[in-house]
Amino acid sequence: MNGERLILVTNDDGYDSKGMAAAIEVARSFGRVVAVAPETTQSGMSQAITMHAPLFLRRVRTEEGLELYAFSGTPVDCVKMAFDHLFREERIDLVISGINHGSNSAVNVLYSGTMGAAIEGSFYGCPTVGLSLCDHGADADFEASIAWGKRIVGDLLAAEVALPLCLNVNIPVGRPETIRGLRLCRQNRGFWREEFFRREDPRGRTYFWLTGDFVNAEPDAEDTDEWALAHNYVSVVPIQVDMTDYGGLETLRNVLKN
């Protein structure tokens, strides 16, 4: 049965990142894998697509049960390439995006190239899982992420859940035995406050480096992804694309008349 499934793997850290290798390891437990990922780091690209430049695809590796491609586009471009070109005549059964180097909890889901790719996969009526490890380090330990990724993906495939489904999964830093379990959560209402550091290059031209701090707007709420991660739980948030503020819609009915 496993050999009949076709699983797409992508990410926003690049085809040769350590997190990509970890995601491929998760996927290979459940079927045949095609991996299409950016040539270079594409963090923070969200749902961006490439419209004004040519795109280049190259096959990096082929072996039993795995095809790996590097693509010059964004994470969303990679998903589109897989569904609309490489495997147009085949059914992709699952998309795994990640494993990202760094958390994609709270508002980060809107900026994330990893989650942008996961959300794109759900547009094709395919279940998708975005996996992120709360460690930006190039030498991050992905053992716990791989273990939890296999558990979550296995449960989804066994349950045959209704489609489409998109999950934002974040794994805290630590060895597998230190993680306390899994929490189904809602997205935290935190936000970023940025700071721009001004510098001058040797030619006297001004340039800026962007940095910032995350502000947790509800630190005491125990049903959010931020709380779960802070207390050493894996956070799982189901994602929807409909961004309509339904409460605001009802309020506006009394303000904006036909």
Side-chain angles (χ1 to χ4, degrees):
M1 177 67 176
N2 282 358
E4 298 177 357
R5 294 194 187 99
L6 177 58
I7 300 175
L8 171 63
V9 176
T10 190
N11 71 3
D12 70 358
D13 290 312
Y15 75 95
D16 58 351
S17 66
K18 189 174 180 180
M20 182 65 163
I24 290 172
E25 182 175 340
V26 171
R28 293 189 83 164
S29 299
F30 302 101
R32 179 164 64 100
V33 178
V34 56
V36 185
E39 282 275 9
T40 58
T41 300
Q42 296 283 323
S43 296
M45 293 301 288
S46 186
Q47 297 291 139
I49 57 175
T50 303
M51 299 179 63
H52 304 294
L55 293 166
F56 299 91
L57 179 72
R58 65 184 181 93
R59 182 179 294 178
V60 176
R61 187 165 94 243
T62 302
E63 59 190 59
E64 182 67 30
L66 172 66
E67 295 177 59
L68 173 61
Y69 295 86
F71 197 38
S72 64
T74 67
V76 168
D77 289 331
C78 292
V79 174
K80 290 180 179 294
M81 168 56 70
F83 276 95
D84 294 328
H85 180 70
L86 289 173
F87 294 92
R88 189 180 185 91
E89 304 303 321
E90 292 189 62
R91 172 186 169 183
I92 296 175
D93 298 292
L94 175 73
V95 176
I96 297 176
S97 187
I99 298 172
N100 190 64
H101 292 254
S103 172
N104 278 318
S105 60
V107 74
N108 295 312
V109 68
L110 298 177
Y111 300 116
S112 167
T114 294
M115 287 310 300
I119 292 167
E120 185 69 23
S122 73
F123 293 166
Y124 291 87
C126 187
T128 65
V129 180
L131 295 171
S132 301
L133 170 64
C134 299
D135 187 341
H136 286 93
D139 61 346
D141 181 356
F142 283 90
E143 185 176 344
S145 297
I146 292 170
W148 280 98
K150 287 181 179 180
R151 172 178 165 178
I152 291 167
V153 169
D155 287 350
L156 287 178
L157 292 175
E160 298 183 349
V161 294
L163 304 179
L165 176 73
C166 181
L167 298 183
N168 182 16
V169 179
N170 286 274
I171 301 98
V173 177
R175 299 292 300 161
E177 61 272 16
T178 68
I179 295 177
R180 299 171 66 184
L182 178 150
R183 285 288 183 101
L184 292 172
C185 312
R186 65 175 174 86
Q187 179 182 320
N188 178 273
R189 295 193 181 97
F191 54 89
W192 284 90
R193 280 294 174 259
E194 274 72 28
E195 186 173 358
F196 290 88
F197 286 96
R198 185 181 184 276
R199 299 284 189 269
E200 283 191 1
D201 70 11
R203 297 185 179 183
R205 295 176 300 183
T206 298
Y207 67 94
F208 297 88
W209 281 109
L210 173 64
T211 185
D213 294 303
F214 179 75
V215 179
N216 187 338
E218 42 182 357
D220 298 324
E222 297 185 4
D223 60 343
T224 73
D225 49 10
E226 283 292 314
W227 188 94
L229 293 167
H231 290 79
N232 227 34
Y233 290 96
V234 174
S235 69
V236 180
V237 179
I239 299 298
Q240 64 180 12
V241 175
D242 184 354
M243 297 178 70
T244 306
D245 179 354
Y246 288 96
L249 189 62
E250 290 303 313
T251 299
L252 284 171
R253 294 189 197 281
N254 299 318
V255 177
L256 303 177
K257 307 295 185 181
N258 289 331

